[in-house]
Amino acid sequence: MNFQSKAQQDCYEKVANWLPEICDRVSNPVSKHPLFSLQLGSANVLVEIRPFRELESAIYIWAYVATEVQISNDLLLYLLKQNDSFRFGGFSMEDHGDIKFHVTLLGETCQQNEFKLALTEVLESADHYDDLIVTRWGGRRATDGVFD
């Protein structure tokens, strides 16, 4: 495993200990990177442990929601309005238009219940909104093409 800091390694080990209690479908798809993969319904969620400054780490929990969606002002306004209703996280869009849902937590101070709530928010939101977005704006669910 390639860690860039002690804080990143400590956080990775903490999260690795929590995950079996939270989810029984966990894998480490890229063994050299501090990354976990989980699946619920049609959502595949990644948990990345990233370095943050010198003495901290960040837990970046995210899922692709939809790809190849026809980007329109209506879609962008919808995503922005939905962001206001989430307890944690929100939608974002990559340069090429893929829609993601993500949450970022500070690693050192993160508690298991906080991590579980954020993880659940990403899993449930990605699983719910992928079908809704594809039905209304086209494209395909991210897992339809990425993880087949």
Side-chain angles (χ1 to χ4, degrees), residues 27-137:
S27 67
N28 187 290
V30 184
S31 61
K32 293 182 181 180
H33 300 287
L35 173 72
F36 303 96
S37 176
L38 302 90
Q39 191 156 4
L40 173 72
S42 60
N44 189 30
V45 174
L46 297 174
V47 177
E48 291 183 61
I49 310 303
R50 297 178 174 179
F52 178 66
R53 300 195 176 151
E54 281 186 40
L55 300 174
E56 184 56 89
S57 60
I59 303 169
Y60 187 64
I61 307 167
W62 64 279
Y64 282 113
V65 177
T67 62
E68 301 175 10
V69 178
Q70 181 64 42
I71 305 304
S72 66
N73 288 338
D74 182 48
L75 170 64
L76 297 176
L77 183 59
Y78 174 80
L79 296 175
L80 190 58
K81 285 182 177 182
Q82 291 305 305
N83 279 348
D84 191 45
S85 67
F86 296 117
R87 296 172 296 244
F88 300 99
F91 289 109
S92 62
M93 189 176 296
E94 294 187 337
D95 288 340
H96 47 280
D98 292 341
I99 299 170
K100 295 183 354 182
F101 189 89
H102 62 90
V103 172
T104 304
L105 305 168
L106 283 176
E108 183 178 11
T109 58
C110 185
Q111 300 296 312
Q112 184 174 1
N113 64 332
E114 177 185 6
F115 174 77
K116 185 176 179 179
L117 285 170
L119 180 64
T120 301
E121 184 85 357
V122 175
L123 282 165
E124 291 177 354
S125 297
D127 188 47
H128 171 74
Y129 284 98
D130 61 356
D131 293 321
L132 194 151
I133 289 169
V134 168
T135 299
R136 189 164 171 190
W137 287 281

